[in-house]
Amino acid sequence: MPQTLGKGIKRLKGVDYVMEEKKKEEFIENDSKSKVIVDPWGKDLVQDYARLIREFGMDSFDNNIFPEPNLQMRRGVNFGGQDLEQIAKCIKDKKPFYCLTGIMPSSEKIHLGTETVIQNVKYFQDQGAKTYVLIADVESQATRQVPIEEGKRRALAFHIPAYIALGLDPKKTHFYFQSENKEVSNLVAICAQKVTENEFRAIYGSVHPAKVISAFTQMGDILHPQLGEPMPGVIPVGIDQAPHIRMSRDVARRLREEYGFFPPSAIYNKYTSALDGSFKMSKSEGIGKIEIPEKDTKDLEKKINKAFTGGRVTKEEQRAKGGQPDICVVFEYCKNHFIKDDKTLSKMYEECVTGKNLCGECKAKYGNPYAKKFFEDFAKAFEKAKKDVAKMKIGKE
Ligand code: TRP
Ligand code: SF4
């Protein structure tokens, strides 16, 4: 499924690889008859994207439907979607639509994968979407025991300025707190009538009250922009959020007659690998991870230097056969986040597969300098965004 780079740009080698091939032995082995259960609050990751697409009734992502696809779209970071044609149509016909995402204020760090979500939100914002970003303080309280006030404090001090620093337009983004939004909580009560206990259990694997509260609040988030003026909306998310999308779409259909809701569309991005090449991103495991921000350049360099690569066992073998960028974490991070310029990324790829660069040389030429630049740019933009946020009125206080 090659990705094209859009008008006038040659197909970029190495950018259209399929990550499913990566480290096959680490894939969660599923009995082929069993359903894929995605637990939004769990640690298990599902890497079988093809299967997820099948079982969740998604479409594989086709960036040709969107004008000027962003880097994440062109480089295959987005792998699936639901009902994206209705969004493409709104863009084309200049009809109103919205884009919405949520932030869990559970730590003062942003996962690299979240950068993809933000770039997708920015893309739709630039295409004219009404943009909502909510702070999931209710969900953080219910599932992570973060006190609501603490969640708000973190969001104002870190997450909101960070989302702006990564590209959102503060003037065009409506930020709100779940705990303060009356429309959302009223809609929760309406949606609660439309799902049975068995359905909830089938989707989430449990009916724990904290999960019920969080899932319904998220459904309220996702659908509330349509109160008053029903319109299509797109929710960019990591795959762990697929159950919420599924339930929101079902409930939207059930409320269609009364409220005119459109089932929300979704665009799904792939997981980010951990530094050691595994798919696990849990804090205590492996050699750590790169998150936003990375303030200590030395530490960042150490992490990149220790990262799992697609290098060969010996120097001679690598010169002869070339490296394997398709399983290399350094290449993945550069492709998905650090190197924005297509030509530079193409060169990195070429110099790897032809054996021109050994991994140490490649990290010195590409991995380290571009990672450093990414975080320096972020730090600057973050300082500026903090000033913007100080002037904005977000929430009640
Ligand atoms: N549950 C999401 C997370 O864990 C946060 C969230 C809450 C959200 N409401 C949302 C995401 C609505 C997308 C849309 O990150
Ligand atoms: Fe990865 Fe670079 Fe080594 Fe290739 S040369 S495997 S891209 S670190």
Side-chain angles (χ1 to χ4, degrees):
M1 197 197 346
Q3 305 284 331
T4 50
L5 277 176
K7 284 179 232 115
I9 310 174
K10 257 197 359 254
R11 222 182 92 197
L12 186 59
K13 268 194 177 165
V15 169
D16 55 0
Y17 73 90
V18 264
M19 207 140 20
E20 291 88 292
E21 290 308 314
K22 188 162 184 168
K23 300 195 102 192
K24 279 247 162 57
E25 71 277 11
E26 284 188 6
F27 286 9
I28 296 169
E29 285 298 322
N30 279 304
D31 161 356
S32 63
K33 279 182 245 100
S34 74
K35 276 255 173 250
V36 179
I37 287 244
V38 177
D39 172 4
W41 299 283
K43 286 215 174 65
D44 291 345
L45 306 180
V46 181
Q47 284 88 38
D48 191 342
Y49 296 116
R51 190 138 160 212
L52 266 176
I53 287 175
R54 272 200 317 277
E55 295 202 0
F56 268 79
M58 294 175 190
D59 304 313
S60 55
F61 180 70
D62 171 9
N63 68 36
N64 292 314
I65 67 172
F66 289 122
E68 300 165 69
N70 69 12
L71 183 145
Q72 281 71 17
M73 294 173 178
R74 289 186 282 113
R75 294 184 182 174
V77 194
N78 295 310
F79 75 93
Q82 270 167 316
D83 251 359
L84 286 170
E85 293 75 18
Q86 66 171 351
I87 301 301
K89 198 163 179 323
C90 287
I91 295 175
K92 190 161 162 279
D93 301 343
K94 302 211 172 352
K95 288 264 164 59
F97 71 106
Y98 66 99
C99 178
L100 177 142
T101 190
I103 307 172
M104 282 285 271
S106 41
S107 80
E108 281 181 82
K109 288 259 179 197
I110 294 179
H111 197 280
L112 266 185
T114 306
E115 203 243 336
T116 303
V117 171
I118 301 168
Q119 294 311 326
N120 285 334
V121 175
K122 176 179 162 47
Y123 172 81
F124 293 112
Q125 177 166 70
D126 291 346
Q127 296 297 330
K130 283 190 170 180
T131 309
Y132 298 83
V133 175
L134 62 102
I135 316 309
D137 53 354
V138 169
E139 181 179 358
S140 290
Q141 169 74 77
T143 63
R144 304 270 152 83
Q145 293 82 50
V146 178
I148 299 266
E149 290 310 318
E150 174 61 12
K152 286 188 186 173
R153 187 200 65 74
R154 285 183 197 167
L156 288 168
F158 175 68
H159 300 88
I160 296 174
Y163 273 47
I164 293 169
L166 289 167
L168 298 190
D169 182 341
K171 292 200 187 72
K172 293 191 190 154
T173 309
H174 177 65
F175 290 98
Y176 74 87
F177 296 106
Q178 279 180 330
S179 63
E180 290 183 0
N181 192 319
K182 265 259 164 310
E183 283 187 354
V184 169
S185 45
N186 292 346
L187 187 50
V188 165
I190 294 166
C191 295
Q193 287 294 331
K194 297 291 171 188
V195 181
T196 69
E197 184 179 332
N198 284 340
E199 282 174 327
F200 191 95
R201 190 181 281 108
I203 293 182
Y204 292 99
S206 126
V207 284
H208 190 289
K211 294 191 175 182
V212 173
I213 285 175
S214 301
F216 277 93
T217 305
Q218 182 151 348
M219 202 188 311
D221 290 328
I222 291 176
L223 297 176
H224 93 283
Q226 300 198 49
L227 287 169
E229 190 193 356
M231 63 177 107
V234 56
I235 320 296
V237 281
I239 190 63
D240 57 312
Q241 301 296 304
H244 297 305
I245 304 287
R246 172 186 257 186
M247 201 168 73
S248 302
R249 286 171 59 78
D250 282 347
V251 170
R253 281 189 208 97
R254 292 169 193 177
L255 291 171
R256 168 111 201 154
E257 214 171 300
E258 225 176 314
Y259 292 86
F261 288 162
F262 289 80
S265 306
I267 178 166
Y268 296 101
N269 59 273
K270 287 177 180 168
Y271 281 119
T272 307
S273 304
L275 276 173
D276 64 2
S278 73
F279 280 101
K280 299 180 194 77
M281 286 297 257
S282 142
K283 271 200 187 102
S284 51
E285 287 166 51
I287 53 173
K289 51 182 173 177
I290 292 183
E291 284 176 308
I292 303 172
E294 288 287 337
K295 291 185 181 153
D296 183 338
T297 313
K298 285 250 149 40
D299 201 38
L300 174 65
E301 208 173 294
K302 252 194 240 153
K303 288 185 190 173
I304 300 252
N305 290 342
K306 270 196 276 180
F308 178 84
T309 69
R312 306 282 180 178
V313 180
T314 65
K315 208 164 121 182
E316 291 71 30
E317 191 189 348
Q318 189 155 350
R319 292 276 186 230
K321 291 191 190 154
Q324 306 165 88
D326 51 332
I327 59 164
C328 173
V329 175
V330 179
F331 185 73
E332 178 190 321
Y333 289 7
C334 285
K335 175 176 81 75
N336 296 3
H337 308 284
F338 303 151
I339 299 185
K340 311 284 182 204
D341 177 52
D342 289 339
K343 272 204 202 116
T344 309
L345 186 70
S346 229
K347 262 179 70 196
M348 179 183 183
Y349 182 86
E350 286 296 328
E351 291 172 14
C352 169
V353 293
T354 55
K356 182 168 184 287
N357 283 338
L358 298 179
C359 292
E361 295 163 341
C362 172
K363 287 171 174 177
K365 188 167 172 187
Y366 297 105
N368 277 310
Y370 283 91
K372 194 167 159 243
K373 174 146 195 334
F374 178 89
F375 288 107
E376 281 170 0
D377 289 350
F378 174 79
K380 264 189 238 142
F382 182 74
E383 287 311 312
K384 182 172 173 301
K386 271 207 303 208
K387 292 189 194 126
D388 290 336
V389 172
K391 286 185 235 134
M392 286 158 70
K393 205 184 156 310
I394 302 169
K396 279 195 208 117
E397 280 79 40

